[in-house]
Amino acid sequence: MRTPLIAGNWKLHKTVPEALELVKALKNQVAEVKDVEIVVGPAFTALYPVTEAIRGSNIAVAAQNCYPENTGAYTGEVSPLMLKDAGCKYVIIGHSERRQIFKESDEFINAKIKAALGEDLHVIFCIGETLEEREAEKTWDILKTQLQNGLDGITREDLKKIVVAYEPVWAIGTGKTATGDQAQEAHAYIRGQLKEIFGQQSAEDMRILYGGSVKPDNVDGLMSRSDIDGTLVGGASLKAADFARIVKFQAG
Ligand code: PEP
């Protein structure tokens, strides 16, 4: 059985006081939730205060990015060692906004994943096709390449600390969610590829999240699908009540 994981990506939102207000409200609203792993992803400046605020609760913290070195002359960067030190359990790597805006390559993403695992962080590894790629019927090739390159050199043991997030780029922040059928089809494909690389058991154990305009009113349908093990949520994670409702999804 795969434990569902509901993660929020706060992106470039929330000052420290705002982040604390949000996480404290969320903490109250999800206090009774069991059997779902809950993760929030504040900006770097709010990581430490948020990890302090959730101490002892059922919420864990993710950073939204990291650099693949622990120390050195890399002005402006933040390392896996620093994230661990700030109290993070997870780090989001390979988000499409980083791939597109900051031109991150599969190789760079792979280096970050390895560096994060080296500090015992868990990784939410994002993959997904753009609208042009989907329309050109390249979705499966793109997902296969991103998986193979991003997970190059990763062992089955490492894999236990990695969660894949399938985020079709055309569904992120657009209000356009993949249908349950589209998402399930992609998740089943991803699990099939993981099986090719890591074998049946590892693929079955692996959690695959869906991300892309997940909201309180569409989460139940998505979470009812057999290969969807959780969600990565952007916009709707910025309101405690909406995110709490997503955490409390009802899978049919
Ligand atoms: C995301 O940023 O990973 C995301 C899925 O955003 P949204 O839910 O706003 O589409």
Side-chain angles (χ1 to χ4, degrees):
M1 278 302 285
R2 300 183 290 264
T3 304
L5 192 163
I6 306 291
N9 171 14
W10 295 358
K11 309 194 188 193
L12 187 53
H13 297 286
K14 306 288 178 191
T15 59
V16 170
E18 289 167 351
L20 288 174
E21 189 184 336
L22 173 57
V23 82
K24 284 175 187 168
L26 181 67
K27 196 165 90 168
N28 289 334
Q29 293 181 35
V30 300
E32 79 287 4
V33 173
K34 296 186 181 63
D35 309 323
V36 175
E37 199 178 349
I38 308 166
V39 177
V40 294
F44 285 136
T45 47
L47 285 174
Y48 183 65
V50 168
T51 60
E52 288 288 292
I54 52 91
R55 196 180 288 279
S57 77
N58 56 350
I59 302 174
V61 174
Q64 300 172 19
N65 184 29
C66 68
Y67 193 73
E69 297 288 341
N70 268 339
T71 55
Y74 303 104
T75 302
E77 295 298 325
V78 175
S79 72
L81 177 69
M82 291 165 176
L83 299 180
K84 189 79 189 167
D85 181 50
C88 294
K89 177 174 180 187
Y90 280 93
V91 56
I92 299 169
I93 296 179
H95 192 280
S96 63
E97 285 153 16
R98 301 228 45 101
R99 290 178 188 264
Q100 294 199 314
I101 303 168
F102 302 99
K103 309 287 175 233
E104 291 192 2
S105 66
D106 285 343
E107 291 66 30
F108 190 50
I109 288 163
N110 176 253
K112 291 184 188 205
I113 292 176
K114 288 176 174 160
L117 293 170
E119 288 309 314
D120 215 21
L121 287 164
H122 292 237
V123 172
I124 298 175
F125 167 43
C126 305
I127 60 172
E129 82 286 359
T130 63
L131 185 58
E132 299 76 63
E133 289 161 349
R134 177 160 279 263
E135 286 176 349
E137 298 184 359
K138 289 187 183 152
T139 299
W140 308 134
D141 287 347
I142 294 293
L143 296 181
K144 183 177 184 169
T145 304
Q146 289 180 346
L147 274 175
Q148 279 179 344
N149 294 345
L151 298 177
D152 186 44
I154 296 297
T155 66
R156 284 198 188 92
E157 203 48 37
D158 290 336
L159 205 65
K160 293 179 183 160
K161 292 212 173 109
I162 301 177
V163 177
V164 171
Y166 168 61
E167 298 205 301
V169 180
W170 47 271
I172 298 180
T174 58
K176 202 172 164 185
T177 321
T179 64
D181 285 347
Q182 281 173 323
Q184 168 57 30
E185 186 185 27
H187 282 229
Y189 175 81
I190 291 166
R191 203 175 301 286
Q193 288 303 308
L194 291 169
K195 185 175 155 191
E196 301 257 308
I197 309 173
F198 297 102
Q200 172 106 21
Q201 194 57 53
S202 298
E204 270 172 24
D205 291 345
M206 185 101 188
R207 290 180 293 182
I208 306 173
L209 315 183
Y210 169 78
S213 298
V214 175
K215 308 282 177 216
D217 64 4
N218 60 25
V219 67
D220 297 345
L222 289 162
M223 288 303 292
S224 303
R225 301 298 178 131
S226 58
D227 284 294
I228 301 183
D229 306 311
T231 60
L232 180 55
V233 186
S237 69
L238 297 172
K239 288 200 180 119
D242 286 357
F243 192 62
R245 172 61 184 84
I246 292 171
V247 166
K248 295 177 196 174
F249 68 85
Q250 328 248 299

